[in-house]
Amino acid sequence: MEFSSKLLENAVSEMSQLPGVGKRTALRLVLHLLRQPKEQTLDFANALSTMRTEIKFCKSCHNISDTDVCEICSNSNRVENIVCVVEDIRDVMAIENTSSFKGLYHVLGGKISPMDGIGPNELNIQSLVEKVKLGTIKELIFALGSTMEGDTTNFYIYKQIQGYDVKTSTIARGISVGNELEYTDEVTLGRSIINRIPFETSLKS
């Protein structure tokens, strides 16, 4: 692809690094931004820059937040002793959209995947185990996708907290095996939270 401007080429190159965006799509997006009023494009760029430099991760659950403790963790109306374990922020958003869960979350930041070089130490697992050790959590709900990596991560955490007085459950399998939570419709996801089953039971199936 030939470019008449090095500045244009650099912008297209950066844009094409986004997931699912090839060179042609990146070029179309960059040209669209060029056609917009300069102020609008600068506002767009500033929003990205501000987000990247000022965004925080909640000290309690590792959710993305504007403050040190996210709005969910700081909400006194949430049930503090029930914690839903999810892969990332997209899963928090998906579950929150169902309005079926009133507890707190713990965002792992991924799933154990040896093939991708992701082990337990690369995830927010130890901080979850420390929470369980404090004895304030009555139930952990494993809400990772029904994939091999998700099941491996669930089982690893389960083994780490065995011996502590905490109930473990997993979302009901109304969600198709292999599906990610963010693509599941809200009604199915909501019911899977409400109809969760003991994690030990899921190990036998």
Side-chain angles (χ1 to χ4, degrees):
M1 187 177 293
E2 295 293 330
F3 293 91
S4 59
S5 165
K6 191 67 176 178
L7 295 175
L8 177 64
E9 181 178 1
N10 290 341
V12 170
S13 178
E14 293 298 325
M15 188 74 77
S16 66
Q17 295 184 46
L18 294 173
V21 178
K23 288 282 187 180
R24 293 186 182 279
T25 300
L27 176 60
R28 187 162 60 249
L29 292 172
V30 170
L31 292 177
H32 170 76
L33 291 174
L34 278 176
R35 287 193 296 269
Q36 303 308 302
K38 183 180 294 185
E39 293 76 15
Q40 185 174 331
T41 303
L42 292 176
D43 287 344
F44 174 74
N46 184 58
L48 293 177
S49 177
T50 301
M51 177 196 68
R52 191 64 188 90
T53 56
E54 297 185 12
I55 205 159
K56 301 177 185 295
F57 291 92
C58 177
K59 291 182 177 179
S60 178
C61 72
H62 306 287
N63 191 11
I64 289 175
S65 176
D66 291 341
T67 54
D68 289 337
V69 178
C70 72
E71 292 183 356
I72 295 175
C73 288
S74 59
N75 186 343
S76 59
N77 294 321
R78 306 292 296 211
V79 181
E80 296 183 354
N81 55 18
I82 300 179
V83 175
C84 186
V85 182
V86 297
E87 179 181 352
D88 62 27
I89 175 63
R90 294 171 298 180
D91 300 329
V92 174
M93 295 170 66
I95 294 172
E96 283 296 288
N97 286 338
T98 71
S99 300
S100 299
F101 180 65
K102 301 303 179 185
L104 301 180
Y105 295 92
H106 186 90
V107 181
L108 296 176
K111 295 176 289 191
I112 295 174
S113 178
M115 290 188 65
D116 297 320
I118 302 174
N121 292 334
E122 280 71 52
L123 305 177
N124 300 318
I125 292 179
Q126 189 55 43
S127 58
L128 175 61
V129 174
E130 294 300 324
K131 288 181 186 179
V132 172
K133 288 181 178 179
L134 291 174
T136 56
I137 299 177
K138 289 186 178 180
E139 180 181 4
L140 278 186
I141 304 172
F142 296 126
L144 302 184
S146 304
T147 61
M148 182 180 296
E149 293 83 3
D151 289 342
T152 298
T153 307
N154 287 340
F155 186 69
Y156 178 85
I157 296 172
Y158 174 72
K159 296 296 287 185
Q160 296 299 304
I161 61 175
Q162 271 189 320
Y164 293 98
D165 185 21
V166 59
K167 176 182 177 183
T168 55
S169 59
T170 185
I171 54 179
R173 297 305 193 188
I175 298 174
S176 300
V177 173
N179 273 11
E180 299 292 349
L181 294 192
E182 62 177 306
Y183 301 119
T184 304
D185 68 273
E186 294 175 6
V187 174
T188 301
L189 182 56
R191 287 176 178 171
S192 73
I193 291 288
I194 294 171
N195 300 320
R196 58 188 181 273
I197 60 176
F199 182 69
E200 293 89 341
T201 303
S202 72
L203 294 175
K204 301 174 184 178
S205 58

